[in-house]
Amino acid sequence: MMAVTSSCKEGNKIAMDNGKYVRYTPEQVEALERLYYECPKPSSMRRQQLIREYPILSNIEPKQIKVWFQNRRCREKQRKEASRLQAVNRKLTAMNKLLMEENDRLQKQVSQLVCEKSYFRQQSQQQAGLATTDTSCDSVVTSGHQHHLTPQHPPRDASPAGLLSIADETLTEFLSKATGTAVEWVQMPGMKPGPDSIGIVAISHGCTGVAARACGLVGLDPTRVAEILKDRPSWFRDCRAVDVINVLSTGNGGTIELLYMQLYAPTTLAPARDFWLLRYTSVLEDGSLVVCERSLNNTQNGPNVPPAANFVRAEMLPSGYLIRPCEGGGSIIHVVDHMDLEPWSVPEVLRPLYESSTLLAQKTTMAALRHLRQISQEISQPNVTGWGRRPAALRALSQKLSKGFNEAVNGFTDEGWSMLESDGADDITLLVNSSPGKIMGINLSYSNGFPSVGTAVLCAKASMLLQNVPPAILLRFLREHRSEWADSGIDAYSAAAIKAGPCSLPMSRGGSFGGQVILPLAHTIEHEEFMEVIRLENMGHYRDDMIMPGDIFLLQLCSGVDENAVGSCAELIFAPIDASFSDDALIIPSGFRIIPLDSGTDASSPSRTLDLASTLEVGTAGNQTTGDRSGRCGNSKSVMTIAFQFVYEIHLQENIAAMARQYVRSIIASVQRVALALSPSNFGSHAGFQSPPGSPEAQTLARWICQSYRCFLRMELLKHEGSESILKSLWHHTDAILCCSMKAPPVFMFGNQAGLDMLETTVVALQNVSLEKIFDENGRKALFAEFPQVMQQGFMCLQGGICLSSMGRAVSYERAVAWKVVNDEENAHCICFMFINWSFV
């Protein structure tokens, strides 16, 4: 027994009968180590076999070999834990350093604000004194104000010497924003710093344009970080292209690059942006690597790129990346984005998209840090794959989906898009593209002899404004309930057009929603974006002329489903995939994008579709300073952009155009219907899960639930506080409470806030979730075995277990209670379940 209870550190000693220890010989230790790497936990039979196979171990008892392996496993576990704790300690040390620097910066900002307050108080007192003696100051103030509104700046010299001067000035201004007080930064709501968080994120307050700042830790060296961030199209989804026009070397070892950059427009209602930039890369005296950028809009004596057609020239104020090496490996990075996106060039209702620092932080600044963290994780865990594909390949597929959708929304002429004539209504815009680059890979013949289907691509797109509809909840509904808006025949046609037959993919079942099965594929670290394969079941009968047996598969990209994220954009982009599902597969994406707008401006009706040419005016925004005007998702209005692409034969263009118009209009009508159902002003609202459904039927059901619980379990379900109604108390109960119908198959008909959170669904979508779908096979057997007990004695208790949300996520619960809910006539109305202490696994 002494050998069994010995310390893990005594692994290289033999326990003798007299209680003393004798060390293993080096040869024995070497043999045991080699065997340990082959099999860390050998069975009793295997240990006896080892003694016979290795004579050097013949003088060791099997029991002693068992103890050696136990101690060796213990030491391995301790080593891994020590390594993990060291990594956490390095993160905490670096984060502490970061927080101390941030605290110093904030103290400087406070001192500066105190000085400014004192100065303005003195100035106001002096002006008040002058106003009593000299009224001519009004004209002086007015004149000065007018001069401030129209500043005159002479053109900057863009010769090599002039560019070096601009680069040094850009570096100084950028560093003052990254680590100084040049901009008044306000912490972004909902962002908490910590070793596992993305970092410290702040947005500007009261400065020109929009600005965001972030600092965090990444497990990559500074050179690699700079290389990744310079390749902006690889991580910034709105970046169409970055062209390097010229490169100059500086005397201090730095590099000046002249860049031309284009950004996609987020909606069909606004033009795209482009930038003419200077990028300066240099190394500071402390070894930090700096990449800073600014616009060269007002220069002379040097190269220049005029604004392209269909683009608005925007301005980038000094921005960039400060990358410092971190002790123990990795980097501390400061990111600053500061832009003037020319909001005057878009309709008044859309200007919040271009005046929101929060939106800039979400789409650009935080995207940079998230991408770096994703790359770092992929390097540290290279064996993690999704369905046999490397993370980099899956990332490339998601970028392909996003880029294809952006191309459809923008429809640039240099990519081959041309507009079709309108049918008299301006709600839907149709574009066609028959360029070789677009149709490459589409002209394929079927193996059964049918001719190829497509020789061109048609895109039908529209934008609409929605009021009081949370983007995250609306997008979740569109994702989970495809049958509510999609046409199965058109899905089959789109799959046939790229020869997408039955797909041989692993059938690990995820969530299932009315004819579609969601198969998870990959997700980012923070789960803010995930990719999945959608299996549309039994679709072969929709196209008699195309032999398409079995199911159809879509590759789908989803982001922005967290309604607690501030200012985030929600997207659902999908494309049919062929049977091979190869990395270079043809991708013709369609989908939805919902962007929250400012809560302070007037909102249009949720059922109104807007067109730029017919219903919106473009004016001037004036010379105003902008801070964050982005409202919380779901409490005001948002703009939804819809774009669907169809592959077709040229001679069928007129028919396909009519079909596309009709289809997109039907989708808009479906979205309007869902938006009205999800609006807080309607029963069944689930906007932010703030209030329970308040119909008389819901009030009555809540009363029956509580009465039945008291009757059968002899205890109270609710602890009433104050004058709260039963329904309100039930709605805010901490445990998940769900009611299902008595008829087969039992489907859910009511859920409180916790229940809807657990199932990851909405009040409107709850009725499409059946009881048997949330349990695995063992759970269903246990449930149905005990179900008669509910009908006989009125209740039953279930042991803790695992169930599934509507998204296919595993949910653990400590225990569950089910009871029969009876109405006022003592007749069984439904079955109520309460899942206690549940959490996502």
Side-chain angles (χ1 to χ4, degrees), residues 3-13 36 64-78:
V4 177
T5 59
S6 62
S7 168
C8 292
K9 295 182 180 179
E10 302 297 326
N12 291 344
K13 298 180 181 179
Y36 175 81
Q64 294 165 350
I65 291 182
K66 176 182 179 181
V67 172
W68 188 94
F69 274 93
Q70 286 177 343
N71 293 342
R72 183 63 180 83
R73 291 194 299 271
C74 181
R75 292 200 307 276
E76 181 71 15
K77 184 177 180 181
Q78 287 180 339

Side-chain angles (χ1 to χ4, degrees), residues 314-358:
E315 181 180 6
M316 180 181 290
L317 289 81
S319 308
Y321 318 104
L322 171 61
I323 312 163
R324 295 182 296 176
C326 184
E327 295 181 8
S331 304
I332 299 176
I333 177 172
H334 295 254
V335 183
V336 173
D337 290 299
H338 193 178
M339 300 181 184
D340 184 352
L341 296 172
E342 304 295 340
W344 58 266
S345 63
V346 301
E348 179 73 30
V349 72
L350 294 181
R351 286 179 189 166
L353 295 181
Y354 299 85
E355 297 174 341
S356 170
S357 293
T358 299

Side-chain angles (χ1 to χ4, degrees), residues 385-575:
T385 59
W387 285 6
R389 284 169 173 77
R390 295 289 179 179
L394 295 175
R395 222 178 337 105
L397 281 174
S398 68
Q399 291 168 353
K400 205 171 180 180
L401 277 171
S402 182
K403 184 177 179 64
F405 183 74
N406 276 323
E407 289 177 354
V409 170
N410 286 262
F412 294 118
T413 56
D414 60 0
E415 291 178 348
W417 291 101
S418 59
M419 187 178 298
L420 291 182
E421 293 184 3
S422 171
D423 63 347
D426 294 326
D427 55 342
I428 309 296
T429 301
L430 295 187
L431 302 173
V432 294
N433 192 334
S434 58
S435 62
K438 186 68 177 177
I439 64 176
M440 186 71 66
I442 296 178
N443 292 321
L444 302 172
S445 297
Y446 285 94
S447 57
N448 57 19
F450 282 97
S452 63
V453 180
T455 55
V457 178
L458 182 143
C459 175
K461 59 183 182 178
S463 290
M464 58 192 298
L465 294 180
L466 303 173
Q467 186 174 0
N468 293 331
V469 182
I473 295 175
L474 176 57
L475 194 86
R476 283 213 315 248
F477 185 91
L478 295 174
R479 172 180 176 263
E480 297 174 16
H481 302 279
R482 185 180 181 89
S483 60
E484 294 292 327
W485 54 267
D487 186 297
S488 300
I490 292 179
D491 282 335
Y493 170 85
S494 298
I498 64 163
K499 204 178 143 182
C503 188
S504 55
L505 295 174
M507 293 297 104
S508 56
R509 191 177 185 88
S512 177
F513 310 99
Q516 71 169 2
V517 178
I518 296 179
L519 309 170
L521 186 60
H523 61 79
T524 54
I525 296 177
E526 298 177 358
H527 294 263
E528 78 280 352
E529 178 181 284
F530 49 89
M531 193 160 55
E532 53 202 9
V533 172
I534 308 300
R535 186 177 73 191
L536 304 178
E537 299 174 322
N538 302 319
M539 302 288 288
H541 60 280
Y542 285 106
R543 294 274 298 174
D544 296 333
D545 57 330
M546 298 290 176
I547 302 179
M548 295 282 294
D551 304 333
I552 289 175
F553 291 82
L554 305 175
L555 183 64
Q556 182 164 280
L557 182 68
C558 188
S559 62
V561 295
D562 180 9
E563 66 266 20
N564 295 319
V566 179
S568 61
C569 168
E571 290 184 333
L572 186 70
I573 304 172
F574 48 86

Side-chain angles (χ1 to χ4, degrees), residues 476 479-481 509-513 516-520 527 530 532 561 736 738 748 753-762 765-766 768-776 780 801-813 835 838-841:
R476 283 213 315 248
R479 172 180 176 263
E480 297 174 16
H481 302 279
R509 191 177 185 88
S512 177
F513 310 99
Q516 71 169 2
V517 178
I518 296 179
L519 309 170
H527 294 263
F530 49 89
E532 53 202 9
V561 295
L738 297 159
F748 290 108
Q753 178 175 332
L756 297 175
D757 288 344
M758 188 186 80
L759 293 183
E760 294 188 291
T761 187
T762 65
L766 182 64
N768 295 319
V769 182
S770 64
L771 178 63
E772 61 181 16
K773 286 182 180 179
I774 73 169
F775 289 100
D776 58 15
R780 285 194 293 270
I802 301 290
C803 64
L804 298 175
S805 75
S806 63
M807 301 286 196
R809 294 174 65 188
V811 181
S812 67
Y813 56 91
F835 296 88
W838 65 272
S839 64
F840 290 110
V841 177

Side-chain angles (χ1 to χ4, degrees), residues 769-798:
V769 182
S770 64
L771 178 63
E772 61 181 16
K773 286 182 180 179
I774 73 169
F775 289 100
D776 58 15
E777 185 175 354
N778 293 331
R780 285 194 293 270
K781 289 180 180 178
L783 176 66
F784 294 143
E786 300 291 337
F787 208 77
Q789 184 179 349
V790 180
M791 305 308 297
Q792 292 174 6
Q793 70 179 30
F795 75 97
M796 69 175 177
C797 295
L798 298 174

